[in-house]
DNA sequence: GACGACTTTTTGACAGAGTCCAAGTTGAGC
DNA sequence: GCTCAACTTGGACTCTGTCAAAAAGTCGTC
């Protein structure tokens, strides 16, 4: 489906800014609002930060993009929606990697006890260290021994 | 274990401020840095905001308290560490409620594919609406019908 | 096509959370 | 008691994100 129709079908007006934001989100796996401002500017010349925030909020609301917010990081946006995948986040470099749900298709939406809440999303973040950061820590430790 | 020894064992100096911060975190399930400043002031008379932030960062680093950061809310701190419980968060009022791990004891630490990451924590947030906010929305909807 | 209601975008100010800095004071632990 | 760590004060600053009002653009209808 063309981006144009995608927006129409979700009941939002089609504008150059929105198309650019949508393409910016698609262009890389996990980007910040700031990334999107830059990417969209590259594409259409100029766009205000406010428009990007407004557009992202609209998209999130309409289910066109998904927002994730790891502790200590600005919000990230991705266009992979509806498949309930999760994220691996590196504590050192902040890198985010997609990972499929370990329990299967969507069961993690069920909490053990919902306390009367009406749950619509389960966000799972695995925290740790990515291969590169593991390696560089080892190197640093080794070089410390040379003091 | 007394708070005093708890700090000692984690290799941090024992000070009135740190004890007050620790107690403030324990005093309620999920508190903001601002809550802690106030609670600690009530206890020891005066403490600087800077100290509270420093202390909280130290505690998080040492594993004495856990920090969670829901979208659109300041960071929250809790002293329930090491049991891998999760959180229910209300999209409307921001209320946070503890919930035990749905899969059992710590198995959600295992991602389907760790991509070479060394994972040390799985953070799960269930997003939805709390009973109170569900009710108040219904009331608002009902009153709109009366226009 | 042109009109007009309504939605978006722009611009710039603003707010909240938290960090950084620096210098001086206090206090913990050996 | 000495030394180093921790605390205070206060302000400047950064980073994300929102608010408000005016200008511009979209889209259904004529």
């Amino acid at each position: 489906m063309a981006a144009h129709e995608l927006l129409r079908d979700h009941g939002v007006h089609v504008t150059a800014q929105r198309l650019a934001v949508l393409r910016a989100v698609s262009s890389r796996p996990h980007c910040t609002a700031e990334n999107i401002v830059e990417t969209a500017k590259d594409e259409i010349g100029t766009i205000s930060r406010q428009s990007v925030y407004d557009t992202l909020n609209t998209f999130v609301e309409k289910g066109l993009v998904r927002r994730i917010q790891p502790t200590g990081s600005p919000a990230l946006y991705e266009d992979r929606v509806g498949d309930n995948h999760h994220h691996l986040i590196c504590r050192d470099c902040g890198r985010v990697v997609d990972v499929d749900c370990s329990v299967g298709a969507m069961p993690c939406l069920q909490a053990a006890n919902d306390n009367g809440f009406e749950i619509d999303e389960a966000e799972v973040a695995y925290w740790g260290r990515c291969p590169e950061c593991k390696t560089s820590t080892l190197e640093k430790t080794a070089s410390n021994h040379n003091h």
Side-chain angles (χ1 to χ4, degrees), chain A residues 22 25-26 28-30 63-68 77-87 97-101 121:
Chain A
L22 193 58
V25 174
S26 305
R28 51 169 130 179
H30 308 95
L64 280 160
V65 309
R66 183 171 157 196
R67 169 167 32 211
I68 58 177
Y77 298 86
E78 64 183 357
D79 69 341
R80 201 178 143 185
V81 293
D83 68 346
N84 199 43
H85 69 279
H86 307 317
H87 298 102
V97 175
D98 285 344
V99 61
D100 289 323
C101 180
E121 188 186 355

Side-chain angles (χ1 to χ4, degrees), chain A residues 16-17 20 37 40-48:
Chain A
Q17 289 84 350
V37 170
K41 274 188 180 162
D42 285 349
E43 188 180 334
I44 61 170
T46 172
I47 186 172
S48 69

Side-chain angles (χ1 to χ4, degrees), chain A residues 37-57:
Chain A
V37 170
E38 282 159 32
T39 309
K41 274 188 180 162
D42 285 349
E43 188 180 334
I44 61 170
T46 172
I47 186 172
S48 69
R49 225 155 42 95
Q50 187 61 54
S51 297
V52 171
Y53 278 109
D54 286 350
T55 303
L56 286 171
N57 285 336

Side-chain angles (χ1 to χ4, degrees), chain A residues 86-137:
Chain A
H86 307 317
H87 298 102
L88 272 160
I89 310 169
C90 177
R91 286 191 192 283
D92 290 355
C93 67
R95 199 143 67 95
V96 177
V97 175
D98 285 344
V99 61
D100 289 323
C101 180
S102 62
V103 201
M106 295 271 183
C108 32
L109 261 182
Q110 294 310 321
N113 171 0
D114 67 9
N115 284 73
F117 276 57
E118 178 181 281
I119 300 173
D120 58 55
E121 188 186 355
E123 187 178 1
V124 181
Y126 296 102
W127 288 91
R129 312 233 315 293
C130 73
E132 283 71 19
C133 289
K134 270 198 293 186
T135 308
S136 66
T137 307

